[in-house]
Amino acid sequence: MQAPFYVGLTGGIGSGKSTVAALLAQHGAFVIDADAIARQLTAPGGAAMAAIVQCFGADFITAEGALDRDRMRALAYTDRSAKQQLEAIIHPLVAEETWHQASAAQVAGHPCLVFDVPLLVESATWRQKVDHVLVVDCLPETQIVRVMARNTLEPAAVEAIMAHQSSRQSRLKAADSVIFNDGLTLHDLSLEVAALAPRLQLSLHPET
């Protein structure tokens, strides 16, 4: 069985990374979304919840039994040790599920696995695990406008999130390829993905 081509997909908040991931899936990629896995782990009954309650207390749990992501985000931005404690709980579980999905995708014969990892550049290990790093890029002001429209956040809140992500320059330096998603229509973006598809061992034409 031929090993699949591993692509690390990353980009700052509001860059359009999730849209690119969906377009890659249309070309036959199997997408493994680290954020989606983390949300499952911190949903009601999620595998991370017992340890989170034990570490942080019931004040950080919603009435439904999920992690209160807004409250935890606010704490993590002001308390580095809290951020490290949360990551120590969640990251091993995310890694376990990530590689479980990757193994299943390889057995199923997918030619390309896309690891959608927001913190790929910040990680000390992810770059060595993938064959190709694809960065979705846009101007910082575009990020702010998009996230404000999507999440109804104030500009300062978006800027705070961006400040805790790797810099645009760091992402671009780590990239093997870049999609500059600024001022593009969805059709334009789909053409950019289609042009890149053969380099990632994907079909040139999206599945219908």
Side-chain angles (χ1 to χ4, degrees):
M1 180 186 302
Q2 183 176 353
F5 192 71
Y6 282 6
V7 177
L9 174 65
T10 195
I13 187 171
S15 64
K17 177 173 57 64
S18 296
T19 303
V20 170
L23 291 168
L24 288 168
Q26 291 178 17
H27 288 270
F30 185 90
V31 178
I32 301 172
D33 185 338
D35 263 357
I37 293 172
R39 286 193 294 271
Q40 292 168 2
L41 292 168
T42 56
M49 290 310 301
I52 290 173
V53 172
Q54 184 175 9
C55 185
F56 296 99
D59 288 346
F60 289 87
I61 311 302
T62 67
E64 295 75 24
L67 173 66
D68 187 331
R69 296 173 70 87
D70 291 338
R71 187 164 191 173
M72 183 59 74
R73 185 183 298 114
L75 175 66
Y77 285 167
T78 57
D79 185 342
R80 182 174 179 82
S81 65
K83 180 175 182 288
Q84 292 172 338
Q85 287 175 306
L86 182 64
E87 290 175 347
I89 294 170
I90 293 179
H91 284 187
L93 295 171
V94 171
E96 181 181 353
E97 177 60 21
T98 293
W99 295 109
H100 173 75
Q101 292 187 22
S103 178
Q106 181 169 351
V107 170
H110 289 276
C112 174
L113 273 57
V114 173
F115 298 88
D116 183 344
V117 184
L119 301 180
L120 184 147
V121 174
E122 292 89 331
S123 166
T125 60
W126 261 111
R127 185 63 187 89
Q128 288 72 43
K129 293 178 180 178
V130 298
D131 302 305
H132 188 102
V133 172
L134 170 57
V135 171
V136 185
D137 181 47
C138 67
L139 297 174
E141 48 266 39
T142 301
Q143 291 180 261
I144 294 171
V145 170
R146 286 175 178 167
V147 178
M148 286 175 59
R150 183 181 70 195
N151 294 16
T152 64
L153 294 175
E154 295 296 322
V158 183
E159 290 170 353
I161 294 171
M162 292 167 59
H164 281 78
Q165 296 184 330
S166 63
S167 69
R168 183 185 182 199
Q169 291 74 20
S170 296
R171 285 193 295 271
L172 293 175
K173 185 177 180 180
D176 294 305
S177 57
V178 177
I179 292 178
F180 184 59
N181 181 29
D182 211 311
L184 300 183
T185 65
L186 181 58
H187 177 69
D188 293 335
L189 185 58
S190 68
L191 293 177
E192 293 278 339
V193 172
L196 183 61
R199 288 186 62 191
L200 308 182
Q201 299 186 14
L202 292 169
S203 167
L204 181 62
H205 303 289
E207 298 173 357
T208 56

